[in-house]
Amino acid sequence: MLSNAATAERRRKTGGMRLKWKLRLYYAALLLILLGILATATTAVVLRDFRLEVARRDAAVKRNVQRLLQEHIAEIETALARAIQDPEFLQLARRDLSAARETTVPEWVPLAERLAERYELSLLKILDAEGFVLSSAHWRASYNLRDSPGLILSLEAEDQVVLVRERGSDGEFLALLSPRWVPQPRRYVLIGGVRADSLLESSLAERAGVD
């Protein structure tokens, strides 16, 4: 009888210890699950905050670049408004009206280059009312070529800066250009601006603080 009682007691104690270890394992597993959930939730919050911050910074950079681009466009408009009133240009235009074109060619050809440097425009050309190039700072050899796209731009986008395809000695490229007509008579038009290329993009990005 004693032997049976002792055996039963050992079994009870062993069963109790097993139950305690099982409970401990359950608690440990539950703790690990809870920690995992907490870590996942924390990571999700961090990722959400990070994405919100990135979106906020991207929006701020975009607004800054747009503002800088508008300032750049305003600079082009100001430069052209000054160039169209340039005394050297107006005097040559008046002489050209009353003289044979052949006599003014030597003065027309280099004029756009001088005006471009004077008013800080990387692109500048002068057309007559029929669309013939009188002078070009970025394509000097284009004198007397018919520039139909330039004439269309001058008629459709007067006093506006627009993105167009421009031609040069190295082929076509994108540019921000704006036309200005000599008021009276409307026989001559200045078209000026800048290349819309990687240099412009880099300049805007640098001024906007984009890495």
Side-chain angles (χ1 to χ4, degrees):
M1 293 291 295
L2 289 174
S3 177
N4 291 338
T7 302
E9 180 63 20
R10 283 197 300 272
R11 287 177 178 174
R12 185 184 65 80
K13 289 182 178 180
T14 302
M17 292 179 63
R18 287 176 179 173
L19 179 60
K20 288 180 181 179
W21 277 109
K22 286 181 179 179
L23 289 174
R24 287 177 182 176
L25 288 174
Y26 290 153
Y27 288 146
L30 180 60
L31 181 60
L32 288 174
I33 292 172
L34 291 174
L35 289 174
I37 293 173
L38 179 60
T40 302
T42 302
T43 302
V45 170
V46 171
L47 285 174
R48 182 201 63 192
D49 291 346
F50 175 74
R51 287 167 182 159
L52 288 174
E53 179 63 17
V54 169
R56 186 192 65 78
R57 289 188 60 188
D58 286 347
V61 168
K62 183 178 180 180
R63 288 194 300 271
N64 203 17
V65 169
Q66 288 175 338
R67 177 182 60 80
L68 291 171
L69 182 58
Q70 289 301 320
E71 290 178 0
H72 204 65
I73 288 173
E75 291 171 0
I76 294 173
E77 292 173 338
T78 300
L80 283 170
R82 294 172 58 202
I84 199 69
Q85 298 295 329
D86 185 87
E88 183 182 8
F89 169 62
L90 293 177
Q91 288 172 12
L92 179 55
R94 283 194 292 268
R95 286 204 307 275
D96 187 73
L97 285 173
S98 59
R101 177 62 56 81
E102 292 76 10
T103 63
T104 57
V105 170
E107 295 176 84
W108 276 123
V109 172
L111 180 59
E113 193 170 350
R114 288 202 298 271
L115 294 178
E117 182 177 356
R118 193 173 298 163
Y119 298 105
E120 299 181 347
L121 291 165
S122 59
L123 303 176
L124 184 66
K125 59 185 178 182
I126 305 170
L127 276 59
D128 65 15
E130 296 178 353
F132 288 99
V133 178
L134 300 176
S135 185
S136 175
H138 55 281
W139 190 14
R140 195 163 183 175
S142 65
Y143 173 80
N144 210 35
L145 293 180
R146 187 72 178 272
D147 187 356
S148 297
L151 182 60
I152 292 172
L153 171 67
S154 302
L155 295 172
E156 294 183 349
E158 187 173 359
D159 297 341
Q160 299 178 43
V161 177
V162 294
L163 181 67
V164 297
R165 297 200 69 83
E166 177 58 68
R167 291 183 297 171
S169 58
D170 54 349
E172 289 190 344
F173 54 88
L174 286 175
L176 290 170
L177 295 178
S178 180
R180 291 292 187 283
W181 285 90
V182 175
Q184 294 296 332
R186 285 172 62 93
R187 291 283 303 277
Y188 308 95
V189 60
L190 283 177
I191 301 176
V194 296
R195 287 177 179 258
D197 56 10
S198 57
L199 291 178
L200 176 62
E201 182 182 354
S202 299
S203 174
L204 291 174
E206 182 178 357
R207 291 169 64 184
V210 180
D211 296 331

